[in-house]
Amino acid sequence: MTLQVLPPEMLEAPKDKIETKEAQAYWKPSSLKDGESEEFRLLGCYDTGHAIVGWQYASEKRRDNGELGFAGYVVTRSHPGQPEDIARETDWSKPDRPKIDGTFVKPRRFLAWVATSAARGRLEVLFIEQKSLREQLTEILQEIEDYTWTEDGLANFSIKISRKGAGLETSYSILPKVRKVPDKIKASWEKEKDTIWLPNFFEGKDPFDGKQVDAKGLPAGGTDKRGAHVEPTTATKKVKEETEF
């Protein structure tokens, strides 16, 4: 069986926008400090609903007092342009950090992927906004002879994401390491894989609510409320031994 691992949007962006909320176990490379790194194993792929690509921007809405305020993030499948609710830029040169009228924060493209954390031993959503990291990961995943997958879409390798520097001098890197999937993780994934469904992002729902179903128990998906197509397919515990990860 051949699985499509990478979301096709990595090469071409589809269309549409839908509001969303951040998931529970939600990890970004920007949370690393200079010199820090974290290791993950990718679980599932595009075909299994565990990897997606899109755009995200911060939105603002007018509050009861008449002032504009942060109102969460909006996910779009294609670049949203400059929508009316997009947040203004912040003037970081002033102590009170005022917003700058007439400006807007640029939307950022992202790759979201389900993974298990070596440090925390739990399912997490890797939310990668850095173009350099996405390009490095894409190169790694195209080396199909070295970095393979199980038939269930589990990576037979781990990825170590590292940060170097701070501010404008920040750089990120990914180091892959071949690591066969332990039976323990295979069994755990079989039980937990249906509890997380990343296309929920495009429905404004929590990915950790699992695949949505209709009143008849059939998978929700297909065409969503704004016409976008979502095609459905078929307690924290620290990892102590390398073979468990």
Side-chain angles (χ1 to χ4, degrees):
M1 177 176 66
T2 301
L3 290 171
Q4 182 170 344
V5 175
L6 274 170
E9 292 88 347
M10 291 292 285
L11 300 177
E12 58 178 351
K15 303 176 179 178
D16 153 23
K17 95 175 186 183
I18 295 176
E19 294 185 5
T20 188
K21 296 181 179 179
E22 293 187 1
Q24 300 165 351
Y26 187 82
W27 189 88
K28 290 185 177 182
S30 57
S31 65
L32 294 172
K33 296 179 181 179
D34 181 17
E36 290 185 339
S37 63
E38 288 220 23
E39 190 172 5
F40 301 90
R41 182 189 297 275
L42 300 176
L43 303 177
C45 57
Y46 173 75
D47 266 358
T48 64
H50 298 106
I52 60 172
V53 169
W55 293 79
Q56 177 176 265
Y57 69 86
S59 66
E60 288 185 329
K61 291 184 179 179
R62 200 163 297 281
R63 297 173 177 170
D64 293 339
N65 60 7
E67 296 183 357
L68 286 173
F70 177 68
Y73 292 93
V74 174
V75 164
T76 68
R77 286 184 171 84
S78 58
H79 194 286
Q82 190 175 343
E84 294 182 357
D85 63 337
I86 196 166
R88 297 160 295 168
E89 291 183 334
T90 298
D91 187 347
W92 296 101
S93 66
K94 298 180 180 179
D96 58 345
R97 306 290 192 264
K99 295 293 184 179
I100 306 173
D101 290 334
T103 67
F104 67 94
V105 178
K106 293 182 179 179
R108 302 192 67 177
R109 199 176 192 194
F110 70 85
L111 166 65
W113 209 307
V114 179
T116 184
S117 161
R120 292 170 291 281
R122 67 178 184 182
L123 290 183
E124 299 187 353
V125 176
L126 303 188
F127 201 86
I128 301 175
E129 296 175 297
Q130 294 80 5
K131 181 180 179 180
S132 62
L133 284 179
R134 295 197 307 272
E135 290 177 343
Q136 290 177 61
L137 183 56
T138 298
E139 289 184 8
I140 291 169
L141 297 181
Q142 290 175 337
E143 297 180 17
I144 57 177
E145 294 183 359
D146 296 323
Y147 304 111
T148 62
W149 300 77
T150 69
E151 290 188 355
D152 294 327
L154 306 182
N156 281 315
F157 58 92
S158 65
I159 55 171
K160 183 179 180 181
I161 301 177
S162 303
R163 174 175 179 166
K164 182 178 180 181
L168 297 178
E169 302 300 320
T170 300
S171 63
Y172 296 91
S173 63
I174 291 182
L175 178 65
K177 179 180 180 180
V178 175
R179 302 167 66 101
K180 187 177 179 180
V181 184
D183 291 339
K184 182 177 180 179
I185 287 186
K186 290 181 180 179
S188 176
W189 179 245
E190 188 62 30
K191 294 179 181 179
E192 298 182 45
K193 63 183 179 181
D194 292 332
T195 68
I196 183 167
W197 179 249
L198 294 190
N200 283 352
F201 269 118
F202 299 117
E203 295 285 347
K205 299 173 182 176
D206 188 344
F208 283 87
D209 284 343
K211 185 185 295 188
Q212 305 296 294
V213 297
D214 62 18
K216 297 180 180 179
L218 298 175
T223 302
D224 63 28
K225 61 184 180 182
R226 298 199 189 184
H229 189 66
V230 181
E231 182 69 31
T233 57
T234 47
T236 303
K237 179 179 179 181
K238 187 174 182 179
V239 178
K240 296 182 179 179
E241 299 180 10
E242 182 172 308
T243 54
E244 295 180 338
F245 178 70

